[in-house]
């Protein structure tokens, strides 16, 4: 099982670290012929080379070299397992980033709407409280004046009357400001809460984006593996079985054409 | 049928300016009941068990960290998943009853499996993807439609071909060869005589790997009294030890008996079950040889290729030859070298050799 895993992992590692090029690039560099070695063959050679080197360098018998090779295999697999974990973490970070972006967008919108609402509400509260206060003030002043009118005729009371009116007015203004501040504070708390949430999410988003940038810098995000063919190929005219293959390829195409055109027109649907 | 033109068919919609200008990725897929293998023209070769799983609920989704699991990973986590093996007996499950919920779910699973298989090839976004998918020799029209529909939204153009034919094509052996492709769902026999095989050239048997699992299971039930095991455990044992002919070593396996691991010698029951796969195969082989041009029967008997996962049963080639000697007076069976990828390799080779205008017309 480990052997199979190792072969598979070696293949993946070879693909990941191999240099990619195209026949056109090679031609431009003046290369006319290339030797092609299959991945299986390379993997086999690497395994055998490791085993022989261990046996020769450390004067180990087959069993000793085998034990060392098994240990090395295990370490190699652990390293690759770690890479797999990193890839899993990258996918998770990518998913998290998308979720966070969506949350931040929603919250930013909500914050904007709330702040606009808050501004309007503030104005409304201010106007209401002020109007109410003015009314209360006028009522109170009138009540006090009425009271004092009952005391008219007594010369020593005129000064007192003005002082009482002034004092009560100041009190009313103070009460008005307190009520206004309390109302504003309640609305501000919600805005503050939203701001804190946006800040927290923005920070998480930044971390997720940084993690993704790191993966990209380390070459973890692959753009895919290029095909060795730049253009559409086809059967080589020098193929020894050219005629026969040409005929069977045509048959395959025709049966597929019939099948697929049937799908498109619905002819073959039950 | 229309003769394919050498220029793109005017009735075919123009695919538009090529935003996929980087190159052409050819992909060959062997979509099997048990395993799906893929080879691509960028050097990628992958194989995975044909299993697909979707987390059952939010909790399992969070624990698994994925929306879809494939292959062995799906198998290992199947208790937390809505688990699908979308192919059965070489066909997409329910492809003959398109509107049933089971068919829809299996079609979706097959679609996801094909998508995942293509993704395993790591294609560049700016490359055209032309794929050939190997399907069982006598797959129904419904089944072929379902596979094409599943593939069409991820590749630029797709063609199907019969699996045994793909195997023969991969080895450049198109003349007087008889291919036996032993898969999990079916055993496909196909004789090649230089042209596309017709229905009369092909026989599909439904006694493949899955059937063999059941046979081994029955044998083990008798041979291992009190042992607790399931079909997956049997499948694992089969993949490791299956043999016919002489046993080199006793096959000892461990099964729990009332919770206690107990060792059983299953050499004989395993051999008995594995041998049962031979007679129907040789009978079908006999039929194909006997109905072939008498002048070339000898050549056909001497060119039997054994492919597919089932060909890895130890000494199967030798035992088939013995059976052929009795029934047909002799024959030569050759086990192909790379059974896991031979079908996919052949499909890739067909994709590569297919003229460009054919691909264009199917886009």
């Amino acid at each position: 099982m480990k052997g199979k895993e190792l072969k598979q992992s070696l293949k993946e590692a070879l693909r990941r670290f191999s240099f990619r090029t195209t026949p056109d690039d090679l031609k431009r560099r003046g290369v006319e012929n290339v030797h092609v070695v299959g991945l299986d063959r390379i993997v086999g050679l690497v395994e055998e080379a490791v085993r022989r080197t261990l046996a020769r360098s450390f004067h180990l018998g087959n069993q000793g070299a085998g034990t060392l090779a098994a240990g090395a295999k295990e370490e190699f697999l652990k390293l690759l397992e770690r890479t797999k974990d990193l890839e899993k973490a990258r996918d998770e970070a990518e998913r998290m980033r998308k979720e966070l972006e969506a949350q931040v967008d929603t919250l930013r919108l909500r914050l904007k709407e709330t702040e606009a609402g808050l501004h309007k509400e503030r104005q409304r509260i201010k106007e209401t409280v002020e109007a109410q206060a003015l009314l209360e003030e006028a009522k109170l002043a009138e009540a006090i004046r009425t009271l004092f009118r009952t005391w008219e005729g007594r010369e020593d009371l005129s000064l007192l009357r003005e002082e009482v009116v002034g004092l009560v007015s100041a009190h009313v203004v103070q009460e008005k400001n307190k009520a206004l501040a309390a109302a504003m504070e309640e609305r501000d708390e919600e805005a503050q809460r939203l701001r804190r949430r946006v800040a927290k999410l923005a920070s998480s988003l930044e971390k997720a984006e940084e993690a993704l940038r790191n993966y990209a810098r380390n070459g973890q995000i692959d753009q895919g593996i290029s095909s060795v063919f730049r253009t559409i190929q086809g059967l080589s005219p020098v193929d020894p079985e050219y005629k026969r293959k040409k005929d069977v390829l045509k048959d395959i195409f025709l049966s597929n054409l019939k099948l697929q055109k049937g799908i498109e027109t619905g002819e073959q649907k039950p | 049928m229309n003769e394919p033109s050498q220029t793109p068919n005017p009735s075919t919609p123009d695919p538009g300016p090529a935003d996929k200008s980087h190159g052409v990725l050819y992909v060959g897929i062997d979509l099997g009941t048990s395993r799906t293998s893929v080879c691509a023209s960028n050097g990628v070769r992958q194989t995975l068990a044909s299993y697909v799983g979707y987390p059952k609920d939010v909790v399992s989704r969070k624990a698994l960290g994925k929306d879809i699991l494939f292959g062995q990973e799906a198998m290992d986590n199947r208790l937390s998943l809505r688990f699908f093996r979308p192919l059965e007996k070489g066909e997409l499950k329910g492809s003959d009853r398109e509107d049933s919920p089971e068919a829809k779910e299996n079609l979706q699973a097959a679609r996801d499996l094909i998508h995942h298989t293509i993704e395993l090839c790591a294609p560049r976004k700016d490359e055209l993807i032309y794929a050939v998918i190997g399907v069982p020799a006598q797959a129904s029209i419904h089944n072929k439609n379902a596979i094409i529909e599943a593939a069409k939204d991820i590749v630029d153009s797709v063609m199907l071909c019969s699996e045994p034919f793909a195997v023969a094509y991969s080895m450049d052996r198109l003349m007087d060869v008889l291919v036996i492709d032993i898969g999990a769902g079916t055993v496909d026999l196909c004789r090649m005589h230089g042209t596309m095989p017709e229905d009369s050239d092909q026989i599909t048997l439904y006694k493949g790997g899955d059937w063999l699992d059941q046979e081994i299971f029955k044998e083990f039930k008798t041979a291992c009294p009190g042992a607790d095991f399931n079909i997956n455990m049997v499948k694992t044992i089969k993949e490791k030890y299956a043999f016919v002919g002489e046993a080199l070593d006793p096959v000892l396996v461990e099964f729990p008996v009332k919770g206690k691991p107990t060792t059983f010698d299953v050499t004989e029951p395993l051999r008995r079950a594995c041998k049962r796969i031979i007679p129907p195969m040789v009978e079908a082989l006999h039929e194909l040889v006997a109905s072939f041009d008498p002048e070339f029967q000898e050549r056909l008997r001497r060119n039997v290729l054994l492919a597919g996962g089932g060909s890895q049963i130890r000494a199967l080639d030798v035992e088939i030859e013995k059976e052929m000697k009795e029934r047909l007076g002799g024959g030569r069976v050759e086990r192909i070298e790379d059974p896991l990828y031979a079908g996919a390799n052949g499909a890739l080779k067909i994709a590569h050799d297919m003229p460009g205008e054919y691909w264009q017309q199917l886009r």
Side-chain angles (χ1 to χ4, degrees):
Chain A
M1 189 61 198
K2 289 250 167 181
K4 270 190 179 173
E5 275 178 37
L6 180 78
K7 278 181 188 167
Q8 193 55 35
S9 308
L10 264 175
K11 282 183 196 170
E12 282 168 12
L14 282 168
R15 279 188 203 111
R16 187 169 296 161
F17 299 114
S18 59
F19 166 70
R20 288 205 302 265
T21 186
T22 64
D24 289 344
D25 281 337
L26 291 173
K27 267 186 188 170
R28 272 197 291 278
R29 290 184 214 163
V31 179
E32 291 292 335
N33 295 305
V34 290
H35 296 277
V36 178
V37 184
L39 274 179
D40 284 342
R41 179 86 179 126
I42 296 174
V43 170
L45 285 171
V46 171
E47 273 190 307
E48 185 56 22
V50 169
R51 198 189 60 75
R52 284 189 191 180
T53 308
L54 285 171
R56 199 171 44 240
S57 305
F58 299 99
H59 306 291
L60 296 167
N62 264 349
Q63 199 179 348
T67 313
L68 257 177
K73 278 179 184 178
E74 206 165 304
E75 282 306 311
F76 180 73
L77 286 172
K78 273 185 198 163
L79 277 172
L80 281 157
E81 203 51 47
R82 208 175 138 246
T83 309
K84 277 183 196 163
D85 289 344
L86 277 171
E87 281 171 350
K88 198 171 167 188
R90 179 201 69 195
D91 291 343
E92 188 56 26
E94 174 67 27
R95 193 185 59 76
M96 207 173 87
R97 183 182 68 80
K98 283 182 183 159
E99 274 178 17
L100 286 169
E101 271 180 349
Q103 280 189 47
V104 167
D105 286 346
T106 311
L107 281 171
R108 277 188 181 139
L109 196 69
R110 267 188 64 196
L111 180 64
K112 205 173 165 187
E113 284 170 356
T114 307
E115 279 180 339
L118 183 64
H119 182 70
K120 270 188 187 171
E121 186 71 0
R122 275 181 165 173
Q123 283 300 111
R124 195 187 62 75
I125 290 170
K126 199 176 168 190
E127 282 165 14
T128 309
V129 170
E130 273 177 357
Q132 189 67 29
L134 281 173
L135 196 66
E136 290 298 321
E137 189 185 355
K139 272 186 190 169
L140 185 63
E142 186 53 36
I144 291 168
R145 283 193 190 99
T146 307
L147 179 69
F148 276 94
R149 269 199 294 275
T150 59
W151 289 85
E152 264 183 6
R154 296 176 61 176
E155 289 174 7
D156 55 333
L157 289 178
S158 62
L159 184 60
L160 177 65
R161 182 181 60 195
E162 288 309 312
E163 274 182 10
V164 170
V165 170
L167 189 69
V168 170
S169 293
H171 177 74
V172 168
V173 169
Q174 200 180 3
E175 286 302 310
K176 178 197 77 178
N177 286 341
K178 271 188 192 169
L180 191 62
M184 297 293 185
E185 196 178 347
E186 196 184 323
R187 303 300 295 174
D188 277 352
E189 266 177 24
E190 196 186 336
Q192 282 301 328
R193 190 171 53 78
L194 280 170
R195 278 197 195 100
R196 281 198 299 273
R197 212 167 146 200
V198 168
K200 197 175 167 186
L201 283 167
S203 153
S204 301
L205 179 65
E206 201 175 306
K207 279 179 194 161
E209 282 178 340
E210 179 56 32
L212 280 172
R213 275 194 292 274
N214 282 337
Y215 285 121
R217 267 197 298 274
N218 296 333
Q220 298 287 332
I221 294 174
D222 202 347
Q223 297 304 310
I225 304 172
S226 295
S227 171
V228 296
F229 303 118
R230 180 75 181 78
T231 57
I232 293 171
Q233 301 297 295
L235 186 60
S236 165
V238 295
D239 190 299
E241 299 262 3
Y242 179 77
K243 175 74 179 70
R244 185 167 289 138
K245 284 186 178 173
K246 193 180 166 208
D247 290 343
V248 293
L249 290 171
K250 189 169 118 184
D251 285 342
I252 293 174
F253 163 69
L254 289 174
S255 61
N256 274 278
L257 188 69
K258 188 178 169 191
L259 184 71
Q260 297 190 32
K261 295 299 166 186
I263 288 174
E264 280 164 23
T265 57
E267 279 168 17
Q268 284 165 359
K269 292 230 170 187
Chain B
M1 278 185 202
N2 296 331
E3 179 75 16
S5 58
Q6 291 307 303
T7 53
N9 187 339
S11 66
T12 308
D14 185 351
D19 54 342
K20 294 190 160 195
S21 55
H22 188 270
V24 188
L25 181 71
Y26 292 110
V27 178
I29 299 174
D30 180 357
L31 190 63
T33 307
S34 170
R35 295 201 74 80
T36 294
S37 301
V38 61
C39 296
S41 63
N42 56 4
V44 172
R45 241 162 69 121
Q46 296 278 1
T47 184
L48 74 158
S50 302
Y51 302 132
V52 183
Y54 305 91
K56 277 181 182 165
D57 50 32
V58 182
V59 180
S60 52
R61 161 71 187 78
K62 195 161 175 63
L64 297 165
K66 286 178 183 173
D67 291 323
I68 315 177
L69 278 77
F70 298 96
Q72 197 54 44
E73 193 181 14
M75 184 65 169
D76 293 343
N77 293 287
R78 64 189 182 280
L79 298 180
S80 322
L81 302 169
R82 287 190 302 117
F83 184 71
F84 294 92
R85 192 186 185 198
L87 293 107
E88 187 179 53
K89 294 181 178 172
E91 301 256 327
L92 281 182
K93 275 185 200 162
S95 57
D96 54 341
R97 308 182 303 279
E98 276 183 356
D99 293 328
S100 70
E102 187 207 1
K104 283 180 183 165
E105 284 186 328
N106 276 294
L107 183 62
Q108 185 56 48
R111 184 174 282 133
D112 289 332
L113 179 64
I114 293 173
H115 281 209
H116 179 69
T117 308
I118 304 273
E119 276 164 12
L120 287 177
C121 300
R124 287 177 61 103
K125 285 189 171 52
D126 51 2
E127 282 182 343
L128 288 164
I129 305 174
Y130 290 162
V132 168
I133 303 177
V135 295
Q138 290 183 324
S140 69
I141 203 88
H142 298 286
N143 196 43
K144 287 178 179 171
N145 283 346
I147 292 171
I148 287 173
E149 280 185 38
K152 262 201 156 172
D153 51 355
I154 188 163
V155 302
D156 293 278
S157 198
V158 59
M159 291 194 205
L160 306 183
C161 75
S162 102
E163 273 163 12
F165 175 80
V167 171
Y169 198 92
S170 76
M171 301 174 78
D172 278 335
R173 290 174 72 171
L174 301 177
M175 274 300 282
D176 306 329
V177 172
L178 205 153
V179 179
I180 305 178
D181 184 5
I182 310 171
T186 58
V187 176
D188 290 306
L189 292 96
C190 178
R191 69 180 176 211
M192 311 287 305
H193 42 83
T195 59
M196 257 315 266
E198 293 167 4
D199 282 351
S200 58
D201 295 314
Q202 309 182 74
I203 293 177
T204 295
L205 305 171
Y206 294 97
K207 290 186 172 176
D210 289 347
W211 173 82
L212 184 55
D213 292 344
Q214 296 293 343
E215 292 298 302
I216 299 173
F217 186 84
K218 281 186 239 168
E219 285 285 347
F220 283 8
K221 273 286 168 199
T222 315
C224 312
D228 195 12
F229 55 90
N230 62 26
I231 201 78
N232 289 322
M233 293 156 81
V234 167
K235 189 177 162 70
T236 309
I237 292 166
K238 178 196 73 177
E239 285 171 358
K240 196 169 177 188
Y241 299 110
F243 77 103
V244 286
E246 293 303 311
L248 295 179
D249 293 304
V251 181
L252 303 175
V253 297
E254 216 169 60
F255 290 135
V257 175
K258 291 182 181 166
K260 185 185 170 192
T262 310
T263 303
F264 293 94
D265 182 345
V266 293
T267 316
E268 273 313 307
L270 185 62
R271 187 212 325 254
R272 269 199 303 275
C274 290
K275 275 199 86 166
R276 282 183 211 139
I277 205 169
I278 299 173
M281 232 172 353
V282 177
E283 198 178 319
L285 198 149
H286 190 171
E287 199 180 318
L288 287 174
V289 171
S291 57
F292 200 48
D293 186 327
E295 199 185 336
F296 301 102
Q297 285 184 11
E298 168 65 12
R299 211 182 289 173
L300 198 60
R301 273 192 292 122
R302 302 200 65 76
N303 280 297
V304 177
L305 291 179
L306 213 50
S311 69
Q312 294 177 79
I313 296 174
R314 198 166 52 74
L316 185 61
D317 46 352
V318 179
E319 289 299 307
I320 292 175
E321 278 180 2
K322 279 186 192 167
E323 191 83 13
M324 282 176 79
K325 195 169 171 80
E326 277 183 26
R327 282 177 175 249
L328 291 151
R332 190 171 161 272
V333 181
E334 188 185 332
R335 192 195 298 255
I336 62 163
E337 271 187 16
D338 196 4
L340 216 50
Y341 289 104
N345 262 335
L348 174 62
K349 209 166 167 186
I350 292 169
H352 171 274
D353 288 353
M354 194 64 72
E357 62 268 23
Y358 290 175
W359 285 118
Q360 286 287 336
Q361 289 190 51
L362 291 175
R363 283 183 75 179

